[in-house]
Amino acid sequence: MGIGKEFYGRENAGLNERRKPIIVRNNYMMLVVLIFLCAYGAIMVFSATAYQCSMSEEYNYDSFFLLKRQGGFMLAGLALMLMVQRFSYRLLKGFLAVVLYLTGIASIFLLKTPLGVNVNGATRWVQLGPLGRFQVSEWVKVCVIIFLAYLIDANKKYLGTKKLTFYLWIAGGVPAILLFKLSNDLSSSAVVLGICFVMTFISTRTETLHVVILLAGIALVALYVWSIWSNMPTPEELKDMPFRDRRIAAWLDPEQYAASQGYQTLQGLYAIGRGGVFGKGLGASIQKLGPMPEAETDMIFSVICEELGIIGGLVLIYLFGYLLYQISRVMMSAPDLFGGMLCLGVFAHLTFQSLFNICVNLAILPNTGLPLPFISYGGTAVFLLLAGEMGMVFSVEHRIGREA
């Protein structure tokens, strides 16, 4: 019996017997924690951007400019999420899953058209006229989750075969490779691969193959990092290195490159250090006023720790953990394999992206450019997380106990 089949216990030997859900319907705690996360994010986006907005003509000298924009996306995402939960997630099966996957692939190619917007060496956005920028990678993640869940559900009989596992890896690997090649977005590519890996590991009987691939990947990354560590460049030589090599070198020794690539990492650590246990107070961050780049996006966790201290950071981590716990309960009680796999994909996405962002702020990982879900500024990300991914989870939850 495959892990996925054992996990859901509903696909074996033609039995129609259903396991009793481990949660009751109308579980509002997941919605409550989601609202808390969105409120936390809106407050911190305002705190991180109020000064720069009030001093910039670009934002009409309005300290609430970015907060209003982010709040609008949050409210639209929450409203659509509550609408999406009323529709059966099973509508995403079959033809629609294929169409969504192809739109995800097509959107990546848009990055190479005049609509593509390049920022800091990576083309991650498409300009949609007055609607603003659309971050392609966030849409691709949603499409990959849906398509992989459909493929897994449609091939239940073959979940124990390595052949299907390879096919699933190809389905997840194609958009990941395209994101890396066409947008220079390695971090989002890694998240897509991580989602694919977790979904196939849980759903198939190819655990040994997964472990071998995982260990091989870790070994290759370790060798790559060691090759840089064993021949660390001088600050002058760093400028001539490839972009990712510079980031890794700066992560390994940020103080040596404090004037260039290591600057953001050090400023984030200074912010966390200044905050101590209880923080300097909401709005009292010094680092966000200029020294720390991307304070409202990549480095917002450092701003949280500076203003609200380690306590504020731990509260945020607890909220993420509780949301993931609620998603896992929905996943375990899903009426079918397709619904469970949708929840698993969302679970994997939120876990990877949250861990990557927090670890970057703590200098445990090199800078990746990934935002913190629900917290960092970014309209596309928060809207698709709420309306798309959490909408699917709520749709599955809404049908627990109703549908076979």
Side-chain angles (χ1 to χ4, degrees):
M1 183 181 292
I3 293 177
K5 295 181 181 180
E6 184 175 287
F7 191 73
Y8 294 100
R10 301 180 184 115
E11 311 292 342
N12 186 38
L15 295 177
N16 292 320
E17 184 178 327
R18 297 179 59 216
R19 298 170 65 183
K20 184 178 179 180
I22 63 173
I23 66 172
V24 295
R25 290 201 63 257
N26 299 322
N27 177 13
Y28 295 107
M29 290 309 298
M30 187 163 60
L31 178 60
V32 169
V33 72
L34 197 57
I35 292 173
F36 267 105
L37 276 170
C38 288
Y40 202 133
I43 291 170
M44 294 315 303
V45 165
F46 174 69
S47 178
T49 62
Y51 176 77
Q52 71 181 74
C53 288
S54 66
M55 300 296 290
S56 173
E57 184 179 2
E58 179 183 356
Y59 303 118
N60 301 323
Y61 304 105
D62 179 3
S63 58
F64 292 91
F65 187 92
L66 292 181
L67 172 64
K68 289 187 286 188
R69 179 174 291 182
Q70 183 77 347
F73 280 107
M74 283 182 174
L75 291 175
L78 286 168
L80 192 54
M81 178 188 77
L82 296 176
M83 293 174 60
V84 168
Q85 75 164 339
R86 298 292 176 179
F87 294 89
S88 175
Y89 60 89
R90 293 191 179 106
L91 294 173
L92 296 171
K93 282 187 178 183
F95 178 73
L96 186 55
V98 176
V99 169
L100 289 174
Y101 180 76
L102 293 178
T103 63
I105 298 292
S107 66
I108 301 174
F109 286 99
L110 285 178
L111 296 170
K112 286 301 182 181
T113 70
L115 296 175
V117 178
N118 186 289
V119 178
N120 296 328
T123 307
R124 302 181 180 183
W125 295 268
V126 170
Q127 185 67 42
L128 299 179
L131 296 178
R133 296 176 182 176
F134 179 82
Q135 192 167 359
V136 168
S137 61
E138 301 303 320
W139 174 243
V140 171
K141 292 167 191 172
V142 178
C143 296
V144 167
I145 290 171
I146 294 171
F147 189 60
L148 288 177
Y150 163 64
L151 289 181
I152 291 168
D153 181 72
N155 294 277
K156 300 182 189 75
K157 296 180 180 179
Y158 309 104
L159 287 176
T161 65
K162 292 184 175 66
K163 185 176 182 180
L164 177 62
T165 299
F166 282 119
Y167 283 151
L168 293 172
W169 283 352
I170 291 171
V174 168
I177 292 170
L178 288 175
L179 277 174
F180 175 59
K181 290 294 185 180
L182 300 184
S183 71
N184 199 27
D185 190 354
L186 178 61
S187 53
S188 291
S189 299
V191 171
V192 171
L193 289 176
I195 292 169
C196 179
F197 187 88
V198 169
M199 292 181 71
T200 55
F201 179 78
I202 295 297
S203 64
T204 67
R205 276 200 307 248
T206 54
E207 299 96 327
T208 302
L209 177 63
H210 280 78
V211 171
V212 170
I213 294 298
L214 178 62
L215 292 177
I218 292 173
L220 287 174
V221 171
L223 284 173
Y224 179 49
V225 172
W226 180 81
S227 68
I228 297 174
W229 171 255
S230 62
N231 189 28
M232 291 288 280
T234 65
E236 292 74 24
E237 293 171 337
L238 185 71
K239 300 175 183 178
D240 300 324
M241 295 180 68
F243 173 69
R244 287 182 185 83
D245 290 5
R246 295 202 305 268
R247 280 194 168 183
I248 293 174
W251 166 62
L252 292 171
D253 191 355
E255 292 186 356
Q256 182 178 354
Y257 312 107
S260 55
Q261 201 71 40
Y263 182 77
Q264 187 179 36
T265 299
L266 285 175
Q267 296 304 319
L269 292 175
Y270 293 156
I272 295 171
R274 287 188 75 253
V277 176
F278 298 105
K280 296 298 181 181
L282 187 62
S285 169
I286 298 299
Q287 302 301 115
K288 71 183 181 186
L289 300 180
M292 184 165 59
E294 311 296 340
E296 73 277 16
T297 52
D298 304 0
M299 308 303 292
I300 199 165
F301 186 76
S302 294
V303 176
I304 290 171
C305 290
E306 183 179 4
E307 297 189 349
L308 304 179
I310 295 174
I311 299 298
L314 290 176
V315 167
L316 178 61
I317 292 172
Y318 171 79
L319 290 174
F320 273 119
Y322 190 74
L323 177 63
L324 292 171
Y325 166 68
Q326 291 293 336
I327 294 173
S328 71
R329 297 181 78 194
V330 176
M331 175 176 64
M332 295 287 288
S333 300
D336 56 17
L337 185 59
F338 180 62
M341 285 294 110
L342 287 176
C343 293
L344 179 61
V346 175
F347 181 95
H349 176 205
L350 291 176
T351 300
F352 281 125
Q353 196 148 318
S354 301
L355 282 176
F356 284 174
N357 180 276
I358 292 173
C359 287
V360 165
N361 279 258
L362 297 175
I364 298 173
L365 290 175
N367 199 310
T368 62
L370 285 172
L372 188 58
F374 306 113
I375 306 298
S376 294
Y377 176 77
T380 305
V382 74
F383 178 78
L384 289 177
L385 276 172
L386 291 169
E389 297 189 28
M390 291 309 302
M392 293 188 297
V393 174
F394 274 99
S395 178
V396 175
E397 190 272 340
H398 191 66
R399 281 150 188 84
I400 293 174
R402 283 187 174 183
E403 299 181 6

